[in-house]
Amino acid sequence: MKQTISRKNFIKGCSATLGLMATGLGSLQAAAPDRDTSFYQVQAQKPAEGILRGSWVQTGLAQKGDITLQQSAIIVAKNEHSAVHQAALFLAADIEKISGYRPAIQETVVKGIVNIVLQTAGNGNAPTAPLNRLKNKREAFAVLSSNNTVWLLGADFRGTAFAAYTLSEGLGIDPLYLWTGYQPLRNTNLILKQTNFFADSPTVKYRGFFHDDEDVLPRPFDKYGFPLRIGDVPLEWYQRYFETALRLKMNMTAPYVRVHRRYEVQKCASDWGLYYTSHHYDILLSNPFGIERFHLAEKRGVSKEWDWFKNKENMISYWRGGVEENKDINAIWPVGLRGTDDHAYEFPKDTPEKEQAKVFRDAIDAQVKTVKELVPASEPAAFHFTLYTEMLEKYRKHPEDFNVPEDVILVWPDNNDGLMRDLPNGPDKWKHGVYYHLAYFGGAPTKQGTHVITPYRIAEQFKAIVAAGATEFMLVNVSEMREHIMEARMIADICWNATAVLDQKNAAENYLQWWAREYFGMANPAVITKAYQNYYELIDSSEKTYFGATQFELILDQLHRRFNKKQPAKLEPAKIAELKGRNEKYEDAFKQINLVLPQLNREQRQFFFEHLELGLRIDHRPTQAALLLLQALAEPNDARAWNLIAAAMVPLEKLEVEILRAERPPFDKWYIPTWIRTPVSPFNIHRSYTQLREFMANNGTETPIKPRMTFGHNIDGARLWSDFIEESARIKATY
């Protein structure tokens, strides 16, 4: 009898095949039933020994002084800061994730149950001993369990919020869970061990993440099919950054600057307890990028002329608009003088350098004066002047002419690649800070797709930073955060307590071992530490992330020349030798990885794959394919050469599947082409796969080397986008 199948079941049964066809991977479908499934079939999650996360939970019977958190309430007085109320919301949700029970949030103590009290010093009655330790501190906090009460006490409102986030980690919440995917172990009988924890004021006063060049985050698409450069990133994504910063006890954020500026973003950051600041060319948070693109000059009643010598009042009025828009949030104000995009201010030709220095000083004086006139004096205004690119050279030549006000923090930059360009020579009347890059876009050190700044470099550089006294301010560029979370956490830990992290013989090695225990539950961290060391040996600069892909492209072009009787271009023997040597090192690195994998549970294995293995595969797979193309190039018989070319597709198809494995929700399409990762860009990790597919489709008649795509921040397009957003807001439309 002929079997029939419904249309619904037919589509369901074919979904895997259709998905592979949609991504160009139909050729792998035949092998699917035989594919190794061991990656997904691993041991169940179990508590790891000796880690911070969950270490305050009593796993056995309750002991004297322990407190059961079932039937508890979270107490937050109405007059506590919004940051404390937000921390309470997170804490309630965290306890529910762990225990299934969500504590109610109340304004006053509830009799007969456990009370978790969030209280800022001076805002109620609390045990005297911890309050005495918190006196005259900044952001210090205490967590104390006593008489069926858990006290979360802060020297100020940020300290109180940090106490709540610290309790969450002690109960089992990974501060990086938004990026690692780690869920807490379920515990329906959640018992807090007797706790008396105190954290002193942080090493770095202002410390935060800069989310720059967010090229992949959800937003409308442009005509190239890329996420629109000037499109609005959803607030939910900014909140991921804000929550992560707060859980790591950071207190500052600098969201992406080249967007349609939305007050809801900076207001959310400030309400949650983060100082809002910005890029060094975003003077006084005025968004110079939007002078024309977003009609900001017109809205502020000024012209688009950007000339200090001819119309400085126009510039001051424009900056004033930024202060007016942000005066009611907690902000740290960028000062200085740059162009209306991220480039140096253009002085009239032959302007002497000392005169330029005087102009910078006059502009900064005007900016400081403007803020002090407009911003409520509840807290002294803070400013930062970043000595970036051309500014550092100007400052070095004429430091005596940069006699900026003393409440302006001088911020020293790295070289965009994690090495400090300079630091203060000794104490002076100014406070000092640093601008540091884990991620970067622009030129050779562009870091996209995986992390390349090592814990060894961070430890070395931050020892120098702390020794130089540059601890008033620290802004670290993390781009979209996901690829840089390990190093971001290391920097956050240093900023909170530099002594604990850096004042030991092998600070970086110790951090790697801590990371192995904390995130992979390794009783013997040596095996995973070695895996990370292998990773950093192979991926020791941004160029190494696409070394194999670059050689692949050159060799494929040689094959194109051969098949089309063109003059061959000589390959560099040293590069070919390096390619072969790197492949051998990759084989050794994956042997080490295979020692790690059996010791990991499902969550750990997935995160280990995303954070370490994929970064290696991004270069390893094109390296394997390039070596097969080398064999094809050396094969005199064209038919056999094409067989080798076809074989080169196999490792590249494997990479496409590996990319899909890393693009788990909520990181769908995380590695799609964008305006940074264009189809021809070395930062596009699909490039080799796409090049070989096209090469095979056209029988090698076309070179794989395509002209670079060049396009800027289109002003007309931005104007249209701004008009669309404003009209949508007016009629309350969604898109």
Side-chain angles (χ1 to χ4, degrees), residues 263 266-267 270 276 285 326-331 333 375:
Y263 184 70
Q266 50 260 45
K267 181 69 163 58
S270 184
Y276 182 84
L285 308 177
N326 295 285
K327 64 183 179 182
D328 295 325
I329 66 172
N330 287 311
W333 305 93
V375 174

Side-chain angles (χ1 to χ4, degrees), residues 129-149:
L131 288 179
N132 288 338
R133 295 190 72 183
L134 295 172
K135 193 174 294 183
N136 300 320
K137 302 280 188 179
R138 180 185 177 91
E139 299 182 5
F141 63 88
V143 180
L144 176 70
S145 59
S146 175
N147 298 326
N148 236 26
T149 301

Side-chain angles (χ1 to χ4, degrees), residues 541-588:
S541 68
S542 57
E543 294 91 336
K544 294 299 174 60
T545 64
Y546 51 84
F547 180 85
T550 299
Q551 302 311 307
F552 174 90
E553 179 182 72
L554 294 173
I555 299 167
L556 192 60
D557 182 59
Q558 290 291 78
L559 286 161
H560 157 73
R561 290 170 180 270
R562 165 184 163 174
F563 295 142
N564 292 277
K565 313 302 182 187
K566 293 182 179 180
Q567 181 68 31
K570 189 176 181 182
L571 297 172
E572 295 184 43
K575 296 290 186 183
I576 299 302
E578 185 175 356
L579 187 75
K580 294 176 180 178
R582 287 178 65 79
N583 188 60
E584 292 176 1
K585 289 182 179 179
Y586 277 122
E587 297 304 320
D588 290 339

Side-chain angles (χ1 to χ4, degrees), residues 76 126 184 282 311 355 361 413 486 538 562 566 598 600 611 654 687 708:
V76 187
D282 188 11
N311 198 355
E355 176 64 18
R361 167 63 197 267
M486 179 174 80
L538 282 156
R562 165 184 163 174
K566 293 182 179 180
L600 305 181
H611 192 248
K654 287 181 179 179
R687 183 176 67 154
R708 181 186 174 200

Side-chain angles (χ1 to χ4, degrees), residues 549-561 564 566 629 679-681 687-688 690-696 698 700-708:
T550 299
Q551 302 311 307
F552 174 90
E553 179 182 72
L554 294 173
I555 299 167
L556 192 60
D557 182 59
Q558 290 291 78
L559 286 161
H560 157 73
R561 290 170 180 270
N564 292 277
K566 293 182 179 180
L629 293 187
V680 300
S681 166
R687 183 176 67 154
S688 298
T690 303
Q691 286 175 326
L692 189 53
R693 275 183 38 167
E694 292 177 352
F695 188 85
M696 295 176 71
N698 63 47
T701 58
E702 297 178 14
T703 175
I705 301 175
K706 309 294 184 185
R708 181 186 174 200

